[in-house]
Amino acid sequence: MCAKTELRGALGGGLGAMTWQGGDVPTNVTSNRVRLVPGKRQVLSNELTDAFAKMTTQGCSASRPTLMAVIGHTRYPTSSRSLMSELHPHMWSAHTKRQSCWFSDASIAADDVEPPVLPCARSGARCGFFITHNGDFDEYELFRQRVSYVQVGKWLERVLHAPDLTIGDSNKFAGMMELLTTKGDWMASVRYAYQKCIAESIGDAADGDALLGEHSANTAPSRAWCERIGAAFSQVWVEALKEVPELACQPNGATGGIEMTGTDVENKQKLEDKVSLVVGAAVSTGKSLAADWAGEDAVVTQMPPESRDQWVICIVDSFLNGDMYEAMSEFLEKAHGSFGLQAVSTTEPGNAVIAAKGQTMRLAVVPGVKSAIWGSEGTAVEVPIANGGDRHILRLDSVKGQVVEVKFRSSDVTKTTFSRRGSNSLNVAGFSLRSRQVGDVGVMNHDEIKRQLRLVKAAKPKALPRDTGRIGPHDAVLEDIRAIPSVLDAIVGKWRDGVFSSSSKNRASAKQFVKKMGEAMESGPSAMHLVVVGIEVSLFVSEQFAADVTEFIPGANACAISSNQLIGGGKVYFASKDSKGSLSIDTLSDTNAVVLVVSQSGQTFPSLKATARLVSRLHDRVFVMVGGTDADAAYSEMGSVVLDHHKCMLHRDGADHVFCNLSGFRPCEPSSVAVVAAHQTLTELLVFTRLGIELGEGDVKPKADFKECVVALTAPFLANIRDIVGCDSQGKLTVGGKTVEEKYRHKRLCEGHGDLSQEAHNTVHEELVAIGWRWGKHISEPWRIMFLTGVYYVVALVFGVPLFHALLHLGLHFGDAESPNDVCWDGIASFVFSFGEGCEMIQLVIGTLVALLDAVLFIMFPVFVGRLLRFVETRPLYHRFGKRSIVVADNAWVARCSETFTARLFSLAYGFASPDVHSADPVDDLIHTCGHRSTRGLLVAVGRPDGRLFAFTKTEAAVLLASKQMSFVENLNQNPEVVSLGSNPHYEARNIFAHVALPSSSRPKFVDEFLYSQLLERQKLESEGDAKSITPRNFLKGLRSALRRSNAHGGGVVDTTAMGGVMGLDSLLDMSSSMSDSSSGLTGLMRRISSNHNPIMDGSQRMDSSQNHRMDSSQNHRMDSSQHKMDGSGYKHGHDAVGILPDSKSHGGFAPGETNVFQANLDPKTGRFLGRFQLSQRLLEARFNSLERFVSFTVMFHAAAESTNQGLWGIPKWDYSRSQSHMRVNTTACPVMDIGETEVKPKGMTKRESSAYLQRAGRLLEVRALRSLPHAMLELVANRCSFGVFPRGSTVVKQGDVGDCLYIVESGQAVLLLNKNNADTPMEVGQCHAGDHFCEGALVRDDFHQPASVVAVTELKCLILTKSDLLSALGAPGNASEGPLGNIAESSPTNNKVPLQKQVSFGHSFGLEPIVSVQEQDIAIMEGDDEPLAF
């Protein structure tokens, strides 16, 4: 659980444990905690569990039954540094022994009876709390005003008379729990009752100083005074118990001698009566005692008599009822911020209270091991437990706020899995659960709690394939990369099964998405139809998706926005928000815009907050996309928010508004497979949406041509991904099974030749890893230089053998037998004196020169050894020394996601082996943002679009230009090391170090690249004298004629597979008849095409990933523009000369500059025809090719990190799956807290009515006359509603009466009776159930008469809205026809008369069946409408 939870931050943490031994009344209580701040590369969960193993055995005796409660916390700091004092678990005051009382349950066996709890006095009990808090505690309501948590801390220091030893906010929650929890503690009860009933402001604790200044006197009641008053009340309680001796507690905590002879309910009543006598006696005596103190005690003397009596009542009530559960409820009701809370107390054995408000929290009961576990991370409560079996999981409502008490009851273990524990508690396998929503005066009953529970079957986690040959720690990043093919196969398989055949959960959500998109697009072309919301990599992927929606769905407008901008509302200024137009929630609501929120974890703080806010306003137009699996996506935090809102407000299951990217649980911080899964899922949604928008109503039956296009692009894409990753969809290696170290340890890359290995036939995966391995050597070079330099210094200084001194000494040793044999610094002196007398000057000069050479060597040794390393490893000699920088240049989403991936790979690396990582768009801002960074040794990774496609020829040319501009910054004949990758094999060797040609042979060609390649081949035939020149237009003419003949022969659609798999050939049949069918000079070519002997398409020469995607200069597999240059000046429309085209056998690569010239010289008609396919080409680039490049970058940079780690000689390796903060799941405000617009809250309502307020607004949405109102106005209308209860048999409305109210049925049943022609017995024409409404016409017409009577069959509870209240809320005049609703009556559809005997349903808001309208004496069916209008 620690390992799962630390994904939310691991800069510090702690564990606290409490044990109780001795049964219901413990005889031995222990409390211990351990807290620590881990080192940068230490794993917090490992350190904590090791310390916890030692801590839990302290003070425990194995001979007695033991209950244990453990709470823990891992921290990402927000309000204070990660110091030991700031770590959780917190406690305000130290745990001490003082007089307290245990509470033991009475012995009643009934499941539906909750017995009163009786105290059992016991002295010397250990008292104290442990709490943890996840989130941000901002403010608290004290004395009817909100104060900051800092002021709360100052106030608590005075009230509790204990200093606050922390700076952060969480310890203030510990102090509040200590103040509010009073059960069984008379001193605490006296202290709390004083603050609640006597004190009037926070200044009362500081001699009237509301600022709680440091020098103000502490005037809060002292601890000694509270203990003295508490002791008096303790004695009062003992005296009161004497009046009912049978309630006296036994030493073992059992109840007294009350005879339990009746039923369980009767027994409970007996206990309650007896307890009431004791409580009444204690209160009465306490009041008398307080009155006596009035003249003696200064504090009591100042109390007004009425307040003094309330104080006494509060003391007794707090002593009996002020447990942790009530304290937590009171705290959350008045606290502001975000909270994931847990608390345990030594005085409540086997009991824990957890709560959620703005933060996530889940609870799981594991019957197999008699344990309850909970945590803020959803996956933490699903960790496998030996013999645990199935478990029951409860997700706390983090939007409204919820408190849950979980208590182990040994007496309930033998009961059924679910049984009642009183009316408001639920027994789950021995654990009693009590719960309430924040702000609700009541509690949830056992049925409501049971509905929240979800059964999760026991299952072993599936292990991903591992590299068993890897040296070192487990490589989770590599596992993620190797899982990409299998995840993509799963996504495509499920979506395609859903699109083309049967069922899929994503397909069901997509159908709803298409429906809502269609409704949004009805608002006009200028409106915003789709807003995609995310943060970090989710936002980067979303931005591309939004752009593609606008590009590929005709008439659709979409944009992407950061989640923080939505939760910041108008209170945080975002400069970028203005550039995206007005995106307020009100604007989105008015335009019927659809919102898609994307988050891998499903609980990222800003995305989760944005989801909650959006669904409350946009309702069923909000969709979410999360990670995980199909089975659990809807139960993620964001999915649960959507589901809960749909069930509460829309009365439907909202699972069809949740998408899952099927990536599973991915804890690695460098996000690879999660990004790939999100991008591909959005691709499938894009395709589905386009099909659905074209066909309408979400009934997706794709057209054959579009289906073939999607399939034709997807299948090769999946194959390419497998080649790039180097393993298949089952995770099996496809590169020989060797480890990275074994295969690439001795690889050498020849400088400047693009030659990745001396071996031939490298796969694309091997090429990527080889480049990454080389870059890893660049990055680890500083440490290796330091290491070798240190070795030399140690040898030279310790053993006294500097290099030149040693060489000189060895020379003398072998040249002069009398020279000294010892090897030491005296050798220089011996050498000098060997010249004899008269040569002192020569001796001095030579000795000084040798010493100077050794000194220079000491200074320059790092440079020399660095050059030597580079020479041995065939790396550039004159790159700059020091820390390297990496620039990733590609389109926006690929570059930014790759930058994030790479930066996190090296986040735990040592400073000397951690590159700076930057990203830029080579078509846009590469030169502007990174041109000044272009230095010798800069590492530049450039992703190139496929310029062979005419849609991207100019784009690739721009990318190549930017790459050359970066590489042309030279010094000492050295420049940045530029590596490019893309589907086009063409590259210029003198401008880049290497180019990796990604697989593309299995992809079908488009007509434009097919045309270009064929004319290229034609040019070769022409040069050999075997053919005549031909223009592109005439080529297409002949090709069209051949296709027509093929079609006539086959009698069907052209088989493009037989033509080499070229996409769009059949479009030639639609070309204008103005193009003649002349096939001059093409007979032989067509014969070769139709017989599959075309040199370009022939299988023996097709591009193959194993043969044609290597870069081998010895085989001329690169394109040099100086040798293959197109002569544009010699080509004109209508001429036979095509010009000199590149050699088509060189990987099928086209030089973008030459292709540009070719396109510029096309005749207009041919150009327009080839332009038909550019949209499909843009789809290929945006959704498939760009994803291939991202995966390639992850493979390459992972290999770089692997190589860097291997190069760190003599020091521990770092784990590149995590960072120091380890915040994989960003669940804290970063940087915007939940500070959106203040919600409109009803006034003059009880707390329970207020908690049902949102449900009212949801009911009003079902009324057609009100649906057009903005949500903010609808909230005002909901505030005006009242409740009405009609007994069984009563008439709610009477036929013929003037109506002025709308009725919405909350519960119960009613019938609609129509009296036609004054008949004796009225005729039943319909029924009303919960959710139905009637008398809607009263809101839109002033002369509305009730067309039928409504009679309650059962007790009927209705929400009532009068016309006057509606108009008052809207600020409209008294006449409805002149107000905002006046146009409703005018838009009524035509009514078609039907016989009276026709029985139809009545009043269902969302029914698809005909709707009844009762007017005067007739029944009418309004065909074509799906809503009730007049009644």
Side-chain angles (χ1 to χ4, degrees), residues 483-494 661-662 673 676-681 684 714 717-718 721-722 725 729 1187 1191:
I484 289 175
S486 61
V487 170
L488 284 177
D489 283 350
I491 293 171
V492 172
K494 289 206 171 187
N661 65 30
L662 305 179
V673 64
V676 171
H679 183 85
Q680 186 60 30
T681 301
E684 302 297 335
T714 304
F717 159 73
L718 297 177
I721 291 294
R722 290 192 287 270
V725 172
S729 57
L1187 186 56
V1191 175

Side-chain angles (χ1 to χ4, degrees), residues 581-593:
S582 177
L583 287 177
S584 67
I585 298 180
D586 287 337
T587 302
L588 298 178
S589 177
D590 293 341
T591 59
N592 290 327

Side-chain angles (χ1 to χ4, degrees), residues 258-263 266-267 270:
I258 298 179
E259 184 178 2
M260 302 295 185
T261 56
T263 64
E266 293 173 346
N267 292 338
K270 288 181 181 180

Side-chain angles (χ1 to χ4, degrees), residues 925-972:
D925 59 353
L926 174 62
I927 300 302
H928 301 281
T929 60
C930 299
H932 63 282
R933 296 188 175 97
S934 186
T935 58
R936 291 173 292 131
L938 175 69
L939 306 178
V940 183
V942 180
R944 290 165 40 188
D946 192 348
R948 296 174 298 178
L949 309 178
F950 283 11
F952 293 99
T953 303
K954 294 183 182 296
T955 305
E956 188 180 29
V959 173
L960 290 175
L961 175 62
S963 303
K964 288 189 287 187
Q965 288 176 303
M966 293 291 290
S967 64
F968 287 165
V969 180
E970 298 182 78
N971 187 24
L972 300 178

Side-chain angles (χ1 to χ4, degrees), residues 437-699:
Q437 288 187 339
V438 175
D440 198 343
V441 295
V443 297
M444 300 173 66
N445 61 42
H446 58 274
D447 290 329
E448 293 172 323
I449 299 173
K450 187 175 180 179
R451 280 195 293 269
Q452 278 192 288
L453 289 170
R454 175 170 61 97
L455 179 65
V456 176
K457 295 291 184 180
K460 294 183 180 179
K462 295 181 179 179
L464 294 174
R466 295 192 180 189
D467 186 351
T468 55
R470 173 179 163 75
I471 300 175
H474 165 55
D475 190 348
V477 177
L478 181 60
E479 286 190 354
D480 275 2
I481 294 175
R482 288 182 176 174
I484 289 175
S486 61
V487 170
L488 284 177
D489 283 350
I491 293 171
V492 172
K494 289 206 171 187
W495 273 89
R496 299 299 161 82
D497 287 344
V499 172
F500 301 141
S501 60
S502 56
S503 61
S504 165
K505 291 185 178 180
N506 278 335
R507 177 181 182 270
S509 298
K511 291 185 69 174
Q512 290 295 323
F513 183 84
V514 170
K515 179 180 178 181
K516 295 303 176 182
M517 275 292 293
E519 295 174 358
M521 292 174 65
E522 291 176 359
S523 59
S526 61
M528 187 60 64
H529 306 136
L530 174 64
V531 177
V532 193
V533 179
I535 200 73
E536 205 221 17
V537 292
S538 295
L539 178 60
F540 305 155
V541 174
S542 299
E543 288 173 337
Q544 181 63 47
F545 174 70
D548 293 339
V549 167
T550 304
E551 174 80 9
F552 300 114
I553 300 179
N557 289 328
C559 73
I561 189 173
S562 168
S563 306
N564 275 317
Q565 295 193 14
L566 287 176
I567 67 172
K571 300 183 179 181
V572 177
Y573 173 73
F574 291 89
S576 62
K577 188 173 183 179
D578 296 334
S579 64
K580 298 184 179 185
S582 177
L583 287 177
S584 67
I585 298 180
D586 287 337
T587 302
L588 298 178
S589 177
D590 293 341
T591 59
N592 290 327
V594 179
V595 179
L596 174 63
V597 187
V598 181
S599 170
Q600 168 64 19
S601 67
Q603 55 180 321
T604 307
F605 181 90
S607 299
L608 178 60
K609 290 291 184 180
T611 301
R613 181 154 297 150
L614 287 165
V615 296
S616 69
R617 303 290 296 276
L618 305 183
H619 307 290
D620 59 351
R621 299 201 302 278
V622 178
F623 296 79
V624 298
M625 191 184 82
V626 299
T629 64
D630 260 347
D632 56 21
Y635 300 104
S636 65
E637 288 300 321
M638 285 169 51
S640 297
V641 168
V642 172
L643 261 64
D644 290 348
H645 182 82
H646 276 250
K647 291 177 181 177
C648 176
M649 302 286 291
L650 307 178
H651 314 294
R652 63 183 300 273
D653 184 10
D656 57 1
H657 280 59
V658 180
F659 294 99
C660 178
N661 65 30
L662 305 179
S663 62
F665 176 68
R666 301 295 169 184
C668 291
E669 287 192 66
S671 187
S672 56
V673 64
V675 173
V676 171
H679 183 85
Q680 186 60 30
T681 301
L682 291 173
T683 298
E684 302 297 335
L685 179 59
L686 175 68
V687 172
F688 195 104
T689 304
R690 169 157 180 170
L691 294 169
I693 293 296
E694 290 177 351
L695 298 177
E697 299 300 326
D699 184 14

Side-chain angles (χ1 to χ4, degrees), residues 796-852:
L797 296 177
V798 173
F799 297 99
V801 284
L803 179 62
F804 289 102
H805 166 266
L807 293 175
L808 182 60
H809 182 81
L810 289 174
L812 291 176
H813 176 73
F814 291 107
D816 184 359
E818 297 181 358
S819 61
N821 293 322
D822 59 314
V823 181
C824 62
W825 283 102
D826 293 336
I828 293 180
S830 300
F831 168 72
V832 172
F833 288 114
S834 66
F835 285 95
E837 297 182 2
C839 300
E840 291 85 357
M841 182 58 65
I842 297 175
Q843 296 170 358
L844 179 62
V845 170
I846 294 176
T848 303
L849 180 61
V850 171
L852 181 61

